[in-house]
Amino acid sequence: MARDPRRGGDPRCARVPGVPVPAVRRTAAVTATRALIVGGGPAGAAVAIELARAGLPHLLIERSRETGDALCGGFLSWRTLDTLARLGIDPDQLNPARTTTVRIFAGSRVAHAALPRPALSVSRRRLDTVLLAAAVAQGAAVERGVTVRAIEDGQVRTADGAVIAAPALFLANGKSDVRGTARPASARGADPTLGIRVRIVPPPAMARALAGQIDLYLFDRGYAGLAMQEDGSANLCMAVHRSRLQEAGTPADLLAELGRAMPVLGEWVAAIAPDATIDAIANVP
Ligand SMILES: Cc1cc2nc3c(=O)[nH]c(=O)nc-3n(C[C@H](O)[C@H](O)[C@H](O)COP(=O)(O)OP(=O)(O)OC[C@H]3O[C@@H](n4cnc5c(N)ncnc54)[C@H](O)[C@@H]3O)c2cc1C
């Protein structure tokens, strides 16, 4: 008897995009799925797209109920765009504008270069939304608001006490550790890296000057990237070692110090709204 392609399970089956692949078998105590994806960021969504396309049963669980704007530089290189194209993502969905040049600042020195191929900048809110929507459109099974607490003895336990059994497990939970699969503390090193991000709504002249390019500011124990995103804001995002931030004081102090050392960056720091939120994350792997 011919298989119903909507039932999945056979990678040779033709998939019907948008028709969910049957993902899970539930009993009172245990949910079973062939493949469990933990995390609905770019990595998890990409896996879900591929599994759904292949008609392989799976379940993606994501702890957040709504897609937030993860702290990220948001720069998608030409290679990343190639990968996204293979996943069926049209870059214009992310940002119709392209980034074609880079300026690199170090102290008073600056270098310009054309990028090998066009890239783009996009907020993570947009990127993650588009990727997860593409996964669902391919038939991926996605459950939101479910947090994995522990993965021990081959069992996945969620925050609400449920147990999920899956012979294949894709850990796409990013920098967050899950009990039982945590990275060793030594992996952070003695001077771990932090991420700092602030969004700037620039005056039109500054937005025009930055359009089509990404600025990189290099400094002792860190660097910052600055680019216009699809929503009209400029994303100023940096990776910095903890010791450097401690020397400066607060993230705002560090931005002010870097602005004094690199005057072009200083113009952007001066454009940060007084009530702007400066986001920070610790222990970037
Ligand atoms: C400062 C900084 C700047 C960066 N800039 C760039 C850049 O410009 N360009 C670029 O390409 N990359 C950049 N990166 C890297 C990029 O952010 C990561 O490569 C990317 O986020 C990894 O995607 P991911 O899906 O693996 O993890 P994440 O994006 O972290 O997604 C993980 C997902 O898993 C969910 N999750 C976590 N724990 C659980 C759990 N226990 N149960 C259920 N769900 C869970 C989270 O809610 C999240 O949605 C930057 C990183 C940093 C720190």
Side-chain angles (χ1 to χ4, degrees), residues 39 41-43 62-63 72-75 124 146-148 172-174 178 238 284:
E62 163 57 46
R63 66 183 172 190
C72 184
F75 175 79
R124 281 294 299 275
V146 182
T147 302
V148 169
N173 44 305
V178 171
M238 73 170 80
V284 175

Side-chain angles (χ1 to χ4, degrees), residues 74-84 115 117-120:
F75 175 79
L76 302 187
S77 73
W78 47 99
R79 290 193 198 94
T80 303
L81 294 182
D82 288 346
T83 302
L84 290 172
L115 296 177
R117 283 163 50 203
L120 67 73

Side-chain angles (χ1 to χ4, degrees), residues 37-46 60-68 70-77 80 120-122 124 127-128 131-132 143-151 157-159 171-179 183 193-197 214 223 225 229 235 237-240 281-285:
I37 307 162
V38 181
L60 181 153
I61 53 180
E62 163 57 46
R63 66 183 172 190
S64 67
R65 291 192 183 278
E66 290 177 9
T67 301
L71 191 156
C72 184
F75 175 79
L76 302 187
S77 73
T80 303
L120 67 73
S121 289
V122 62
R124 281 294 299 275
L127 176 66
D128 293 11
L131 275 168
L132 261 192
E143 287 190 15
R144 303 201 69 144
V146 182
T147 302
V148 169
R149 277 278 178 261
I151 302 172
R157 289 186 183 278
T158 64
L171 287 177
N173 44 305
K175 81 177 199 67
S176 312
D177 281 327
V178 171
R179 199 168 70 223
R183 299 165 181 91
T193 305
L194 298 94
I196 295 174
R197 180 265 308 272
I214 178 163
Y223 75 98
Q229 297 193 322
N235 184 25
C237 185
M238 73 170 80
V240 57
I281 54 168
N283 298 327
V284 175

Side-chain angles (χ1 to χ4, degrees), residues 3 11 69 156 158-159 170 211 221 284:
R3 280 173 192 264
D69 196 15
V156 176
T158 64
F170 292 88
R221 282 164 285 162
V284 175

